[in-house]
Structure formats: structure tokens, C-alpha cells
């Protein structure tokens, strides 16, 4: 046996020896309950998404999946908790796009970094609705854009606060359409909806649960939904593409992330199990009832989505000179 053959065989044996423990690690996972850390209080898109996946995931993996709400510090408390947790796949972050994208752009000092987290997979998305007060003299998106252009700076739009998805999303809408609207920030949806219903603010781009009943009751007009498909509970409302604005899209997403350094076999098993869980018919049925869409993306695609939206948000934030409250 020559030296080259011996060296190659030794390298192969070493690789097999290394792979064996990793394979056994994946087979043994999970060895205890899995915790889904949610950066929001109970209720709303992120918490609903966590609870939507927790029950079917528990059945798939054969261990309890516990939802752990850790709101606070604009989501940073939960992100920090997961970033500093054990790298074994048993503690996962239920990440919200509004925090994951905006916080690193808008906040100078964070207790976590993007590199501290690694994606497991996308689990849900929620479209947004372009809703206007009935006094707005437009019944479709094209006429609305024309009306705003004819009244530059005179139309007010609501958001859930500086740096929120509704804020940044509307700024992207403004930049893509060339309209000039004045931002009126609120602390959450409640007061924003009240002022839009009163006609003090004319426009609100927000998630369906906030406006659905008012649209169905005729108190607001929905001009378009900003996702790829129509909303199941508002089938009469066209998508932005159908309404003549195919370049605009605004979806809030929720994804699972693990601490960076979690072994690859564990991540692969987790991702596959999450995919199985959210593709169950009963999971989709519950999601439809909640007004959100289950949509799986594997880790590599999740990374590309984050990179693409970070670039888009960075451009919008700089152009609008967005600052945190």
C-alpha cells in the first residue's frame, strides 16, 4: 500500500468517524421538549403562527412543543434569548419579518446579531390590505393612485408606528408609485383603525384581521391585497397585480430560527419535520380560518428572502429617513 492510498483511506475513515456521531445526533433528536420563543404577546400573527405549527410538530417529532411568549424591547428580548440558548435545536425563535429586518437597520445597539441565528424554515405569511375611508373618491387601486397624485401631500396614511411593516411597506408603495402621502404613526392598530374609520386618516395598509370586518360592513373600502393570491375571507378584493401594480408586494412573514452553530443534521431534521407539519390538511384549514397562509421555505431560500427584503427595506428606510420612536 503506497502512502497516498493509506492517506486517502485514513481520511475516509476519519470522515466516517465524524459523520457517525452527527448522524446519531440527528436520530436522537429531539431528546426533550422543544420551546418556541415568541417575541410578541398572545394573539396576533406571530403568536398564532407559533400555535398553528406547535401542535402538528409535536405529533410529528413525538415530543411536546411549548410556546413561550417573551414580548418586550421591540422583539429583542426573544431574539437575545434564542441567540444565547444551547445550540441543540430544542430552543427556536418564532421570528417576525418586521423585527428581523427592521431592527438591525434602525437600531444602533442590539443584544443580538443576524449571524447569531440560522434559519430552520418559513412557516407562515400574511398579506396586507390597502384599505381606505369611504370618502376617498376611488374604488380601485389605479384610480386611487391617480387621486393621490392629484393631491400631493394632502392624503394621510396610518401606520402601527415608526419602523413597522405598515410604515415601511407604505413607504415602498409611495416610492414605487410616485405618490406623496403624509405619515401618521400610531402605537398599534387600535387607534389607527379608529382614526381611519373616522376619516381623520384616509389610508391604512395593514393585515386583514385589523380591517376585515370593517370592509365587510362597508365602513372601509379594500382596494387590493398585497400578496400573491386573494384572501380567502375577502375573495372579492383583487391582488395588487390584478389591480395593475404587479411590481409591489408586501407580506409579513413568520419563520423559525435556531441559534447559529446548531448541528446541520439537527437543522435538516427540524426543517423536514416543520415542512411535514405545516403541509398537513388540518394545519392549512386552521390557517385559513385565522386569515394567514402556511408557506414553507427551506433554509437556503429563507436566507435569500431575508437578503432581498433587507436590501429593499434599507433603501426605503434611507429614502424616507425613518427613525425609531
Amino acid at each position: 500500500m503506497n502512502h497516498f492510498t493509506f492517506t486517502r483511506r485514513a481520511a475516509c475513515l476519519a470522515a466516517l468517524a465524524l459523520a457517525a456521531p452527527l448522524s446519531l445526533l440527528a436520530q436522537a433528536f429531539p431528546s426533550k421538549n422543544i420551546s418556541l420563543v415568541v417575541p410578541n404577546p398572545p394573539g396576533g400573527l406571530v403568536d398564532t403562527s407559533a400555535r398553528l405549527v406547535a401542535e402538528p410538530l409535536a405529533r410529528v417529532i413525538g415530543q411536546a412543543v411549548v410556546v413561550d411568549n417573551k414580548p418586550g424591547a421591540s422583539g429583542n428580548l426573544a431574539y437575545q434569548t434564542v441567540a444565547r440558548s444551547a445550540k441543540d435545536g430544542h430552543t427556536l425563535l418564532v421570528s417576525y419579518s418586521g423585527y428581523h429586518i427592521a431592527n438591525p437597520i434602525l437600531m444602533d445597539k442590539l443584544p443580538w446579531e443576524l449571524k447569531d441565528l440560522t434559519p430552520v424554515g418559513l412557516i407562515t405569511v400574511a398579506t396586507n390590505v390597502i384599505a381606505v375611508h369611504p370618502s376617498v373618491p376611488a374604488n380601485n387601486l389605479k384610480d386611487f393612485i391617480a387621486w393621490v397624485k392629484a393631491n400631493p401631500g394632502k392624503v394621510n396614511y396610518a401606520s402601527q408606528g415608526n419602523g413597522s411593516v405598515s410604515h415601511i411597506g407604505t413607504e415602498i408603495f409611495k416610492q414605487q408609485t410616485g405618490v406623496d402621502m403624509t405619515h401618521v404613526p400610531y402605537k398599534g392598530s387600535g387607534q389607527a383603525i379608529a382614526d381611519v374609520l373616522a376619516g381623520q386618516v384616509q389610508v391604512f395598509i395593514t393585515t386583514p384581521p385589523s380591517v376585515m370586518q370593517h370592509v365587510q360592513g362597508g365602513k372601509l373600502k379594500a382596494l387590493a391585497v398585497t400578496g400573491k393570491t386573494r384572501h380567502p375571507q375577502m375573495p372579492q378584493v383583487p391582488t395588487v397585480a390584478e389591480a395593475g401594480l404587479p411590481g409591489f408586494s408586501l407580506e409579513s412573514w413568520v419563520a423559525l430560527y435556531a441559534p447559529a452553530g446548531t448541528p446541520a443534521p439537527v437543522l435538516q431534521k427540524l426543517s423536514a419535520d416543520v415542512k411535514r407539519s405545516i403541509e398537513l390538511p388540518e394545519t392549512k384549514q386552521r390557517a385559513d380560518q385565522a386569515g394567514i397562509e402556511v408557506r414553507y421555505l427551506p433554509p437556503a431560500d429563507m436566507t435569500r428572502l431575508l437578503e432581498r427584503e433587507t436590501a429593499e427595506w434599507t433603501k426605503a428606510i434611507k429614502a424616507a429617513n425613518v427613525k425609531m420612536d
Side-chain angles (χ1 to χ4, degrees), residues 260-277:
T262 300
V266 170
L267 287 173
Q268 290 165 5
K269 185 178 188 304
L270 261 175
S271 190
D273 289 343
V274 167
K275 182 176 187 292
R276 287 174 58 197
S277 302

Side-chain angles (χ1 to χ4, degrees), residues 246-262:
F248 180 69
S249 176
L250 181 64
E251 291 181 324
S252 302
W253 52 256
V254 179
L256 297 182
Y257 276 76
T262 300

Side-chain angles (χ1 to χ4, degrees), residues 45-163:
L45 170 64
V46 188
D47 178 72
T48 300
S49 298
R51 296 177 191 279
L52 191 69
V53 74
E55 190 272 333
L57 181 59
R59 283 191 280 124
V60 168
I61 65 175
Q63 286 280 2
V65 178
V66 181
V67 175
D68 181 10
N69 296 89
K70 285 189 181 300
S74 298
N76 291 319
L77 177 61
Y79 281 70
Q80 178 184 15
T81 297
V82 176
R84 296 182 179 180
S85 67
K87 307 176 190 301
D88 58 8
H90 290 95
T91 303
L92 303 177
L93 173 70
V94 185
S95 182
Y96 169 53
S97 56
Y99 296 147
H100 210 125
I101 300 171
N103 287 8
I105 302 172
L106 290 168
M107 298 180 181
D108 292 331
K109 294 181 180 179
L110 286 176
W112 62 279
E113 297 182 60
L114 289 172
K115 67 179 183 180
D116 295 334
L117 300 165
T118 188
V120 174
L122 183 70
I123 56 171
T124 65
V125 294
T127 189
N128 285 263
V129 183
I130 302 175
V132 300
H133 188 265
S135 64
V136 172
N139 293 316
N140 59 65
L141 188 59
K142 195 171 291 186
D143 288 349
F144 170 73
I145 292 170
W147 174 69
V148 179
K149 285 184 175 179
N151 296 274
K154 297 179 182 179
V155 179
N156 296 327
Y157 80 86
S159 85
Q160 294 157 343
N162 288 323

Side-chain angles (χ1 to χ4, degrees), residues 140-143 145 223-225 230 238-246:
N140 59 65
L141 188 59
K142 195 171 291 186
D143 288 349
I145 292 170
L223 302 182
V225 294
R230 295 193 180 200
T239 66
V240 281
E242 292 171 332
L245 191 63

Side-chain angles (χ1 to χ4, degrees), residues 185-262:
Y186 295 86
K187 292 184 177 180
S189 295
Q191 189 58 48
I193 287 292
D195 281 5
V196 177
L197 288 170
Q200 296 179 30
V201 181
Q202 292 77 38
V203 190
F204 192 19
I205 301 180
T206 186
T207 51
S210 301
V211 296
M212 207 154 45
Q213 64 175 341
H214 304 302
V215 170
Q216 292 166 345
K219 295 179 180 179
L220 293 176
K221 292 191 288 191
L223 302 182
V225 294
T226 61
K228 296 178 177 63
T229 59
R230 295 193 180 200
H231 192 276
Q233 296 182 25
M234 291 187 291
Q236 78 283 5
V237 181
T239 66
V240 281
E242 292 171 332
L245 191 63
F248 180 69
S249 176
L250 181 64
E251 291 181 324
S252 302
W253 52 256
V254 179
L256 297 182
Y257 276 76
T262 300

